[in-house]
Amino acid sequence: MSESIEVEVRPAKERDAQAIAQIQAAASQAAFKAQFPGEPMPEFDSLKKSQSYWREAIEFADPQVLVAVVDGEVVGFVGFDRSRDPKTPATMGEIWALFARPTVWGQGVGLALWDAAREGLIDEGCTKVTAWVPLGYERALRFFDMAGFKREMTSIKTVLVGLTRIEEIRFKRDLN
C-alpha cells in the first residue's frame, strides 16, 4: 500500500455528481483493463447518464452518497443503503458502489469511505452489510477481504457489462 493521505469524508452535494460520474468511469475502466487485459472496453453508461443518476441519488438519498475529498478535490465516493437483494431483512445494508480515482488507489480513500458508510448503516439500524464484487477483480476482492467481509460462495451470479459477461460474488459481514 502507498502512503496514506489525509481524507475528508462528507455527504455528497448535487454539484459533486459530475466528479462522481467521472470517478466511476475512470475506476471502472482501470478495473476492466486489469481484469481483461487486451480486450476492448465495453460501452459503459454515458457520463451524462451516470451524472444524472448520481445527481438524483444525492437529491433523494437513494442510495445515500458520501464523497472523499483530498485537498479540496473529490477523489472517491460510496453509495450505500438497505440491501437490494430480494428477501433480505430490513437490517441488511448494502454497499451499492465504492470507487476512488485510480491515482489515489492504495492511499486510504476506500477505507475512509467504508468506515463512514459503516457508521451510516449502523445509524440506519443495519446489523449486517453486503457488497457485490466482480470475481476477477483482485484489488476489490482484497479490499473487501481486508475490510472483514466474507465471501458467500453460493451467491455467484453473472452480469452483463456492455456485451461482456462478468461473474460477481456477494461479500457479507456484521457491522458491529
Side-chain angles (χ1 to χ4, degrees):
M1 185 161 115
S2 303
E3 188 173 315
S4 291
I5 52 181
E6 190 167 326
V7 180
E8 171 200 352
V9 177
R10 64 164 172 78
K13 299 174 182 159
E14 286 185 47
R15 70 173 185 258
D16 297 324
Q18 181 178 4
I20 289 170
Q22 291 169 342
I23 290 164
Q24 184 174 19
S28 295
Q29 290 169 359
F32 185 88
K33 286 178 185 175
Q35 192 172 350
F36 301 103
E39 286 194 33
M41 283 290 298
E43 289 292 320
F44 287 101
D45 287 341
S46 72
L47 279 177
K48 191 175 227 177
K49 184 177 176 185
S50 181
Q51 183 176 338
S52 175
Y53 171 85
W54 288 110
R55 184 178 292 114
E56 189 173 300
I58 293 163
E59 180 181 352
F60 296 105
D62 185 29
Q64 297 179 60
V65 183
L66 303 174
V67 293
V69 179
V70 174
D71 296 329
E73 179 188 2
V74 175
V75 297
F77 74 96
V78 62
F80 64 95
D81 213 322
R82 305 285 177 182
S83 175
R84 296 170 289 180
D85 292 331
K87 299 181 182 176
T88 55
T91 56
M92 181 70 70
E94 181 182 351
I95 301 297
W96 291 27
L98 177 64
F99 291 93
R101 288 194 192 284
T103 56
V104 298
W105 284 356
Q107 297 180 47
V109 172
L111 183 58
L113 288 165
W114 157 239
D115 285 343
R118 184 180 60 208
E119 288 177 25
L121 288 164
I122 291 169
D123 288 348
E124 291 293 317
C126 293
T127 58
K128 296 182 184 296
V129 62
T130 62
W132 286 96
V133 181
L135 262 178
Y137 187 40
E138 292 301 321
R139 176 179 286 280
L141 295 168
R142 277 192 316 272
F143 175 84
F144 283 98
D145 283 337
M146 289 177 16
F149 285 74
K150 301 293 181 221
R151 299 173 194 210
E152 292 187 319
M153 298 310 289
T154 59
S155 70
I156 296 171
K157 67 179 181 180
T158 302
V159 296
L160 280 176
V161 176
L163 298 175
T164 304
R165 293 180 181 279
I166 296 177
E167 287 189 320
E168 291 184 332
I169 187 168
R170 185 174 46 216
F171 278 68
K172 187 176 181 182
R173 69 160 279 174
D174 291 336
L175 285 171
N176 52 20

